[in-house]
Amino acid sequence: MTRELTTATVFTGIAELVTNDGLLDGADHCEHLGRLSDAAVVVQDGRIAWVGPASQAPPADELQDVGGRAVIPGFVDSHSHLVFAGDRSQEFAARMTGARYDGGGIATSVNATRAASDDQLRALVAARVAEMRAQGTTTVEIKSGYGLNVQDEVRSLRIAAEFTTETTFLGAHVVPPEFADRRSEYVDLVVGEMLSACAPYAHWIDVFCEPHSAHAFTEEEARVVLSAGQDAGLGLRVHGNQLGHGPGVRLAVELGAASVDHCTFLTVEDVENLAAASDTTVATLLPGVEFSTRSPYPDARRLLDAGASIALASDCNPGTCYSSSIPFVLALAVREMSLTPAEALLAATVGSAKSLRRNDIGVIRAGNRADLTVLDAPSYLHLFYRAGVPIAGALSPGGRHGR
Ligand SMILES: [Zn+2]
Protein backbone atom coordinates (compact mmCIF):
# COMPACT_ATOMS: atom_id res chain seq x y z
CA MET A 1 0.00 0.00 0.00
CA THR A 2 3.07 2.30 -0.02
CA ARG A 3 4.07 4.10 -3.20
CA GLU A 4 7.61 3.09 -4.13
CA LEU A 5 10.29 5.76 -3.94
CA THR A 6 13.22 5.89 -6.30
CA THR A 7 14.99 8.75 -4.52
CA ALA A 8 15.98 9.00 -0.88
CA THR A 9 13.68 11.19 1.23
CA VAL A 10 14.49 12.30 4.75
CA PHE A 11 11.49 12.95 6.98
CA THR A 12 12.36 15.47 9.70
CA GLY A 13 10.45 17.59 12.21
CA ILE A 14 9.27 14.40 13.96
CA ALA A 15 8.53 15.51 17.54
CA GLU A 16 8.08 11.89 18.66
CA LEU A 17 8.95 8.80 16.64
CA VAL A 18 7.46 5.53 17.90
CA THR A 19 9.69 2.85 16.37
CA ASN A 20 8.62 -0.27 18.34
CA ASP A 21 12.31 -1.15 17.98
CA GLY A 22 13.51 -2.61 21.27
CA LEU A 23 17.16 -2.30 20.27
CA LEU A 24 17.39 1.22 18.84
CA ASP A 25 20.25 3.24 20.37
CA GLY A 26 19.18 6.36 22.22
CA ALA A 27 15.47 5.48 22.27
CA ASP A 28 13.20 5.46 25.31
CA HIS A 29 12.24 1.84 25.69
CA CYS A 30 9.51 2.45 28.25
CA GLU A 31 6.78 -0.14 27.49
CA HIS A 32 8.93 -1.31 24.53
CA LEU A 33 7.85 1.43 22.14
CA GLY A 34 11.42 2.54 21.33
CA ARG A 35 10.47 6.23 21.23
CA LEU A 36 12.84 8.93 19.92
CA SER A 37 12.35 12.71 20.28
CA ASP A 38 13.35 15.12 17.48
CA ALA A 39 13.87 12.21 15.11
CA ALA A 40 14.41 11.69 11.40
CA VAL A 41 13.71 8.75 9.07
CA VAL A 42 15.30 8.21 5.66
CA VAL A 43 13.22 6.29 3.15
CA GLN A 44 14.42 4.88 -0.17
CA ASP A 45 12.81 2.49 -2.64
CA GLY A 46 9.88 1.91 -0.31
CA ARG A 47 12.16 0.80 2.52
CA ILE A 48 13.49 2.49 5.63
CA ALA A 49 17.17 3.29 5.08
CA TRP A 50 18.00 5.06 8.35
CA VAL A 51 16.39 5.97 11.71
CA GLY A 52 17.84 8.24 14.39
CA PRO A 53 18.10 11.70 15.93
CA ALA A 54 17.45 14.50 13.41
CA SER A 55 20.80 16.07 14.29
CA GLN A 56 22.59 12.98 12.91
CA ALA A 57 20.48 12.40 9.77
CA PRO A 58 22.49 11.61 6.64
CA PRO A 59 21.91 13.73 3.51
CA ALA A 60 19.09 12.69 1.15
CA ASP A 61 17.71 13.81 -2.23
CA GLU A 62 14.54 15.27 -0.75
CA LEU A 63 13.58 16.64 2.64
CA GLN A 64 10.08 16.54 4.05
CA ASP A 65 9.39 18.32 7.34
CA VAL A 66 6.35 16.92 9.19
CA GLY A 67 6.16 20.03 11.35
CA GLY A 68 6.51 18.78 14.90
CA ARG A 69 4.09 15.87 14.54
CA ALA A 70 4.39 12.31 15.87
CA VAL A 71 5.17 9.42 13.51
CA ILE A 72 4.32 5.81 14.34
CA PRO A 73 4.49 2.49 12.45
CA GLY A 74 1.54 2.21 10.05
CA PHE A 75 -1.31 0.16 11.48
CA VAL A 76 -1.53 -3.48 10.39
CA ASP A 77 -5.19 -4.43 10.04
CA SER A 78 -4.95 -8.21 10.07
CA HIS A 79 -8.68 -8.99 9.81
CA SER A 80 -11.13 -7.44 7.34
CA HIS A 81 -13.91 -8.40 4.97
CA LEU A 82 -13.80 -5.60 2.40
CA VAL A 83 -15.19 -7.40 -0.68
CA PHE A 84 -18.95 -6.96 -0.40
CA ALA A 85 -21.85 -4.99 -1.84
CA GLY A 86 -25.15 -3.95 -0.30
CA ASP A 87 -26.25 -2.07 2.80
CA ARG A 88 -27.12 -3.57 6.20
CA SER A 89 -27.46 -0.43 8.27
CA GLN A 90 -31.01 -1.45 9.23
CA GLU A 91 -29.62 -4.54 10.99
CA PHE A 92 -27.30 -2.34 13.03
CA ALA A 93 -30.19 -0.10 14.01
CA ALA A 94 -32.24 -3.16 15.02
CA ARG A 95 -29.40 -4.53 17.15
CA MET A 96 -29.04 -1.25 18.97
CA THR A 97 -32.63 -1.63 20.10
CA GLY A 98 -32.27 -5.22 21.26
CA ALA A 99 -32.02 -7.70 18.34
CA ARG A 100 -29.23 -10.30 18.74
CA TYR A 101 -26.54 -11.21 16.17
CA ASP A 102 -26.40 -14.89 15.14
CA GLY A 103 -24.55 -14.75 11.80
CA GLY A 104 -27.72 -15.04 9.74
CA GLY A 105 -27.60 -11.63 8.05
CA ILE A 106 -24.52 -12.63 6.04
CA ALA A 107 -26.88 -14.00 3.37
CA THR A 108 -28.01 -10.44 2.65
CA SER A 109 -24.45 -9.45 1.75
CA VAL A 110 -23.97 -12.64 -0.26
CA ASN A 111 -26.96 -11.82 -2.49
CA ALA A 112 -25.80 -8.24 -3.09
CA THR A 113 -22.19 -9.29 -3.71
CA ARG A 114 -23.15 -11.97 -6.24
CA ALA A 115 -25.29 -9.40 -8.06
CA ALA A 116 -22.51 -6.77 -8.30
CA SER A 117 -20.22 -6.44 -11.33
CA ASP A 118 -16.44 -6.81 -11.05
CA ASP A 119 -16.01 -3.08 -11.52
CA GLN A 120 -18.56 -2.28 -8.82
CA LEU A 121 -16.84 -4.61 -6.33
CA ARG A 122 -13.40 -3.28 -7.24
CA ALA A 123 -14.55 0.31 -6.70
CA LEU A 124 -16.06 -0.58 -3.32
CA VAL A 125 -12.83 -2.26 -2.16
CA ALA A 126 -10.70 0.64 -3.45
CA ALA A 127 -12.79 3.15 -1.52
CA ARG A 128 -12.54 1.09 1.68
CA VAL A 129 -8.78 0.63 1.36
CA ALA A 130 -8.36 4.39 0.78
CA GLU A 131 -10.54 5.06 3.82
CA MET A 132 -8.26 2.81 5.90
CA ARG A 133 -5.12 4.46 4.61
CA ALA A 134 -6.52 7.91 5.42
CA GLN A 135 -6.84 6.64 9.03
CA GLY A 136 -3.28 5.30 9.25
CA THR A 137 -3.55 1.68 8.10
CA THR A 138 -0.72 0.65 5.75
CA THR A 139 -1.26 -3.14 5.59
CA VAL A 140 -4.64 -4.83 5.33
CA GLU A 141 -5.64 -8.48 5.23
CA ILE A 142 -8.77 -9.02 3.11
CA LYS A 143 -11.01 -12.10 3.26
CA SER A 144 -13.46 -13.48 0.74
CA GLY A 145 -16.65 -14.97 2.15
CA TYR A 146 -19.58 -13.12 0.57
CA GLY A 147 -19.49 -15.14 -2.65
CA LEU A 148 -19.95 -18.64 -1.21
CA ASN A 149 -19.93 -20.28 -4.63
CA VAL A 150 -16.89 -21.13 -6.74
CA GLN A 151 -17.22 -18.27 -9.19
CA ASP A 152 -17.89 -15.50 -6.66
CA GLU A 153 -15.30 -16.65 -4.11
CA VAL A 154 -12.61 -16.70 -6.83
CA ARG A 155 -13.74 -13.30 -8.04
CA SER A 156 -13.62 -11.86 -4.51
CA LEU A 157 -10.06 -13.09 -3.98
CA ARG A 158 -8.90 -11.96 -7.42
CA ILE A 159 -10.13 -8.45 -6.64
CA ALA A 160 -8.72 -8.53 -3.08
CA ALA A 161 -5.32 -9.54 -4.49
CA GLU A 162 -5.27 -6.31 -6.50
CA PHE A 163 -4.99 -4.47 -3.16
CA THR A 164 -2.98 -6.71 -0.82
CA THR A 165 -0.82 -9.82 -0.68
CA GLU A 166 -2.60 -10.79 2.56
CA THR A 167 -5.65 -12.46 0.99
CA THR A 168 -7.71 -15.04 2.85
CA PHE A 169 -10.08 -17.66 1.43
CA LEU A 170 -13.19 -17.73 3.63
CA GLY A 171 -15.53 -19.96 1.66
CA ALA A 172 -16.37 -21.42 5.09
CA HIS A 173 -17.83 -18.14 6.35
CA VAL A 174 -21.38 -19.50 6.67
CA VAL A 175 -23.34 -22.27 5.00
CA PRO A 176 -25.23 -20.44 2.22
CA PRO A 177 -29.05 -20.75 2.33
CA GLU A 178 -29.17 -22.99 -0.76
CA PHE A 179 -27.12 -25.60 1.18
CA ALA A 180 -28.92 -25.17 4.52
CA ASP A 181 -30.11 -28.79 4.63
CA ARG A 182 -27.05 -30.15 2.79
CA ARG A 183 -24.21 -28.93 5.05
CA SER A 184 -21.81 -31.75 4.27
CA GLU A 185 -22.21 -31.12 0.53
CA TYR A 186 -21.20 -27.50 1.10
CA VAL A 187 -18.10 -28.48 3.09
CA ASP A 188 -17.19 -30.89 0.27
CA LEU A 189 -17.52 -28.03 -2.23
CA VAL A 190 -15.37 -25.70 -0.09
CA VAL A 191 -12.52 -28.18 0.29
CA GLY A 192 -12.84 -29.45 -3.28
CA GLU A 193 -13.55 -27.34 -6.33
CA MET A 194 -13.76 -24.02 -4.45
CA LEU A 195 -10.40 -24.42 -2.69
CA SER A 196 -8.66 -25.51 -5.90
CA ALA A 197 -9.98 -22.48 -7.75
CA CYS A 198 -9.27 -20.00 -4.94
CA ALA A 199 -5.87 -21.17 -3.70
CA PRO A 200 -3.90 -19.37 -6.47
CA TYR A 201 -5.27 -16.03 -5.22
CA ALA A 202 -5.11 -16.74 -1.47
CA HIS A 203 -2.32 -16.64 1.09
CA TRP A 204 -4.50 -17.86 3.97
CA ILE A 205 -7.58 -19.96 4.68
CA ASP A 206 -10.07 -19.12 7.42
CA VAL A 207 -13.22 -20.70 8.88
CA PHE A 208 -16.04 -19.38 11.09
CA CYS A 209 -15.93 -22.11 13.75
CA GLU A 210 -18.88 -21.28 16.00
CA PRO A 211 -21.27 -23.90 17.37
CA HIS A 212 -23.42 -21.06 18.76
CA SER A 213 -24.44 -20.02 15.22
CA ALA A 214 -26.58 -22.37 13.13
CA HIS A 215 -25.02 -20.78 10.03
CA ALA A 216 -21.35 -21.33 10.98
CA PHE A 217 -19.20 -24.47 11.19
CA THR A 218 -18.69 -27.14 13.85
CA GLU A 219 -15.31 -28.26 15.16
CA GLU A 220 -15.23 -31.27 12.86
CA GLU A 221 -16.26 -29.26 9.79
CA ALA A 222 -13.67 -26.57 10.64
CA ARG A 223 -10.95 -29.19 11.03
CA VAL A 224 -11.73 -30.60 7.57
CA VAL A 225 -11.61 -27.10 6.02
CA LEU A 226 -8.38 -26.06 7.73
CA SER A 227 -6.60 -29.33 7.00
CA ALA A 228 -7.51 -29.08 3.32
CA GLY A 229 -6.25 -25.50 3.21
CA GLN A 230 -3.01 -26.53 4.84
CA ASP A 231 -2.57 -29.31 2.28
CA ALA A 232 -3.11 -26.70 -0.46
CA GLY A 233 -0.24 -24.63 0.98
CA LEU A 234 -2.32 -21.94 2.69
CA GLY A 235 -1.64 -20.53 6.16
CA LEU A 236 -4.36 -20.98 8.77
CA ARG A 237 -6.60 -18.43 10.49
CA VAL A 238 -9.74 -19.13 12.55
CA HIS A 239 -12.82 -17.13 13.59
CA GLY A 240 -13.46 -18.62 17.04
CA ASN A 241 -15.03 -18.12 20.45
CA GLN A 242 -17.03 -15.09 19.33
CA LEU A 243 -20.56 -15.89 20.47
CA GLY A 244 -19.84 -18.30 23.30
CA HIS A 245 -17.35 -20.85 24.59
CA GLY A 246 -16.31 -23.29 21.91
CA PRO A 247 -13.62 -25.27 20.14
CA GLY A 248 -12.10 -22.48 17.97
CA VAL A 249 -9.10 -21.61 20.12
CA ARG A 250 -8.28 -25.24 20.89
CA LEU A 251 -8.42 -26.17 17.21
CA ALA A 252 -6.38 -23.14 16.09
CA VAL A 253 -3.61 -23.93 18.58
CA GLU A 254 -3.67 -27.64 17.77
CA LEU A 255 -3.28 -26.98 14.03
CA GLY A 256 -0.68 -24.21 14.47
CA ALA A 257 -2.87 -21.44 13.02
CA ALA A 258 -1.19 -18.02 12.81
CA SER A 259 -4.23 -16.36 14.35
CA VAL A 260 -7.47 -17.10 16.16
CA ASP A 261 -9.78 -14.14 15.94
CA HIS A 262 -12.46 -12.78 18.31
CA CYS A 263 -11.52 -14.77 21.49
CA THR A 264 -14.38 -13.13 23.35
CA PHE A 265 -15.39 -16.20 25.38
CA LEU A 266 -12.36 -18.08 26.72
CA THR A 267 -12.03 -20.80 29.33
CA VAL A 268 -9.00 -21.14 31.60
CA GLU A 269 -7.76 -23.89 29.26
CA ASP A 270 -8.13 -21.63 26.20
CA VAL A 271 -6.02 -18.92 27.85
CA GLU A 272 -3.40 -21.49 28.89
CA ASN A 273 -3.31 -22.89 25.36
CA LEU A 274 -2.84 -19.43 23.84
CA ALA A 275 -0.10 -18.58 26.33
CA ALA A 276 1.74 -21.83 25.57
CA ALA A 277 1.40 -21.17 21.82
CA SER A 278 2.37 -17.48 22.00
CA ASP A 279 5.19 -17.92 19.45
CA THR A 280 2.82 -19.51 16.92
CA THR A 281 -0.79 -18.45 17.41
CA VAL A 282 -1.86 -14.86 18.03
CA ALA A 283 -5.18 -14.05 19.72
CA THR A 284 -6.64 -11.30 17.53
CA LEU A 285 -9.20 -9.16 19.32
CA LEU A 286 -11.84 -7.24 17.35
CA PRO A 287 -13.57 -4.91 19.81
CA GLY A 288 -15.32 -2.97 17.04
CA VAL A 289 -17.55 -6.07 16.77
CA GLU A 290 -18.48 -6.03 20.43
CA PHE A 291 -19.21 -2.30 20.13
CA SER A 292 -21.39 -2.82 17.05
CA THR A 293 -23.25 -5.83 18.44
CA ARG A 294 -23.57 -4.47 21.98
CA SER A 295 -21.70 -7.46 23.41
CA PRO A 296 -19.17 -7.91 26.23
CA TYR A 297 -15.58 -7.10 25.24
CA PRO A 298 -12.84 -9.77 25.17
CA ASP A 299 -10.59 -9.84 28.22
CA ALA A 300 -7.33 -8.56 26.75
CA ARG A 301 -5.77 -8.01 30.19
CA ARG A 302 -6.20 -11.67 31.09
CA LEU A 303 -4.56 -12.79 27.84
CA LEU A 304 -1.57 -10.45 28.18
CA ASP A 305 -1.07 -11.26 31.85
CA ALA A 306 -1.06 -14.99 30.99
CA GLY A 307 1.64 -14.46 28.35
CA ALA A 308 -0.44 -14.84 25.18
CA SER A 309 0.33 -12.82 22.03
CA ILE A 310 -2.46 -10.44 21.11
CA ALA A 311 -3.36 -8.35 18.07
CA LEU A 312 -6.04 -5.74 17.48
CA ALA A 313 -7.79 -5.44 14.12
CA SER A 314 -10.97 -3.91 12.69
CA ASP A 315 -12.96 -6.89 11.32
CA CYS A 316 -14.39 -4.26 8.95
CA ASN A 317 -17.46 -6.03 7.51
CA PRO A 318 -21.04 -5.15 6.60
CA GLY A 319 -22.76 -7.05 9.40
CA THR A 320 -21.06 -6.85 12.76
CA CYS A 321 -18.66 -3.88 12.42
CA TYR A 322 -18.71 -1.53 9.47
CA SER A 323 -15.84 0.56 10.83
CA SER A 324 -12.49 0.62 9.07
CA SER A 325 -10.92 2.68 11.85
CA ILE A 326 -7.98 1.30 13.83
CA PRO A 327 -7.88 4.51 15.95
CA PHE A 328 -11.45 3.66 17.01
CA VAL A 329 -10.36 0.10 17.89
CA LEU A 330 -7.43 1.48 19.89
CA ALA A 331 -9.69 3.80 21.84
CA LEU A 332 -12.01 0.90 22.69
CA ALA A 333 -9.06 -1.28 23.73
CA VAL A 334 -7.87 1.30 26.22
CA ARG A 335 -11.22 2.55 27.45
CA GLU A 336 -13.11 -0.77 27.58
CA MET A 337 -10.44 -3.50 27.73
CA SER A 338 -7.93 -2.08 30.24
CA LEU A 339 -4.93 -2.03 27.91
CA THR A 340 -2.40 0.78 28.31
CA PRO A 341 -2.05 3.04 25.25
CA ALA A 342 1.36 1.46 24.55
CA GLU A 343 -0.03 -2.09 24.78
CA ALA A 344 -2.88 -1.21 22.42
CA LEU A 345 -0.59 0.42 19.86
CA LEU A 346 1.79 -2.56 19.97
CA ALA A 347 -1.14 -4.94 19.42
CA ALA A 348 -2.26 -3.06 16.27
CA THR A 349 1.26 -2.96 14.81
CA VAL A 350 3.74 -5.59 16.05
CA GLY A 351 0.99 -7.94 17.25
CA SER A 352 -1.04 -7.87 14.06
CA ALA A 353 2.14 -8.14 11.95
CA LYS A 354 3.01 -11.28 13.94
CA SER A 355 -0.46 -12.68 13.24
CA LEU A 356 0.38 -12.35 9.53
CA ARG A 357 3.84 -13.88 10.20
CA ARG A 358 5.46 -10.65 8.97
CA ASN A 359 8.55 -8.99 10.47
CA ASP A 360 9.05 -6.37 7.76
CA ILE A 361 6.17 -4.22 9.05
CA GLY A 362 5.03 -2.95 12.47
CA VAL A 363 8.53 -1.79 13.48
CA ILE A 364 10.30 1.29 12.10
CA ARG A 365 13.83 0.02 11.55
CA ALA A 366 16.33 0.05 8.69
CA GLY A 367 15.41 -2.56 6.07
CA ASN A 368 11.71 -2.71 6.91
CA ARG A 369 8.95 -1.42 4.67
CA ALA A 370 8.58 2.36 4.84
CA ASP A 371 5.05 2.13 6.24
CA LEU A 372 4.76 5.28 8.33
CA THR A 373 1.72 6.93 9.86
CA VAL A 374 1.73 10.57 10.92
CA LEU A 375 -0.42 12.05 13.68
CA ASP A 376 -1.59 15.66 13.81
CA ALA A 377 -0.32 15.70 17.37
CA PRO A 378 3.01 15.80 19.23
CA SER A 379 2.66 12.34 20.85
CA TYR A 380 1.09 8.94 20.14
CA LEU A 381 -0.94 9.37 23.34
CA HIS A 382 -3.21 11.73 21.42
CA LEU A 383 -4.55 8.71 19.49
CA PHE A 384 -6.40 7.81 22.69
CA TYR A 385 -6.65 11.21 24.36
CA ARG A 386 -8.39 12.67 21.27
CA ALA A 387 -10.65 9.70 20.48
CA GLY A 388 -12.88 10.27 17.48
CA VAL A 389 -10.75 13.09 16.04
CA PRO A 390 -9.18 12.11 12.69
CA ILE A 391 -5.54 12.84 13.56
CA ALA A 392 -3.93 9.71 12.02
CA GLY A 393 -3.08 9.21 8.34
CA ALA A 394 -0.64 7.10 6.34
CA LEU A 395 2.42 9.14 5.36
CA SER A 396 3.31 9.05 1.68
CA PRO A 397 6.04 10.92 -0.15
CA GLY A 398 4.52 14.33 -0.67
CA GLY A 399 2.31 14.25 2.42
CA ARG A 400 -0.45 12.56 4.30
CA HIS A 401 -2.81 10.25 2.47
CA GLY A 402 -6.33 11.44 1.81
CA ARG A 403 -5.70 15.06 2.71
ZN1 LIG B 1 -14.34 -11.54 10.59
Side-chain angles (χ1 to χ4, degrees), residues 302-376:
R302 179 186 183 203
L303 284 164
L304 272 189
D305 290 348
S309 294
I310 67 162
L312 286 164
S314 72
D315 198 9
C316 182
N317 79 85
T320 56
C321 179
Y322 193 12
S323 172
S324 57
S325 174
I326 294 295
F328 172 59
V329 168
L330 293 175
L332 289 178
V334 168
R335 175 63 179 79
E336 304 290 344
M337 295 158 64
S338 303
L339 293 184
T340 67
E343 286 168 340
L345 183 56
L346 277 172
T349 51
V350 176
S352 41
K354 183 174 179 180
S355 87
L356 295 170
R357 304 235 162 115
R358 297 274 298 267
N359 54 23
D360 61 331
I361 53 176
V363 178
I364 298 176
R365 76 160 67 97
N368 271 8
R369 287 181 57 92
D371 290 350
L372 308 176
T373 281
V374 64
L375 308 180
D376 289 339

Side-chain angles (χ1 to χ4, degrees), residues 92-114:
F92 174 79
R95 272 202 310 274
M96 290 303 104
T97 51
R100 268 189 62 80
Y101 170 73
D102 77 343
I106 290 173
T108 308
S109 298
V110 170
N111 292 335
T113 303
R114 287 176 181 171

Side-chain angles (χ1 to χ4, degrees), residues 79-81 143 146 170 173 206 239 242 261-262 286 289 315-317 320:
H79 185 138
S80 87
H81 306 248
K143 303 176 196 297
Y146 295 109
L170 183 58
H173 197 185
D206 196 343
H239 281 70
Q242 176 188 356
D261 300 34
H262 288 293
L286 310 166
V289 172
D315 198 9
C316 182
N317 79 85
T320 56

Side-chain angles (χ1 to χ4, degrees), residues 6 65 128 204-205 221 255 260 279 295 317 327 368 381 391:
T6 51
D65 190 330
R128 289 167 189 145
W204 304 95
I205 188 167
E221 290 165 342
L255 297 180
V260 54
D279 289 339
S295 303
N317 79 85
N368 271 8
L381 288 173
I391 63 169

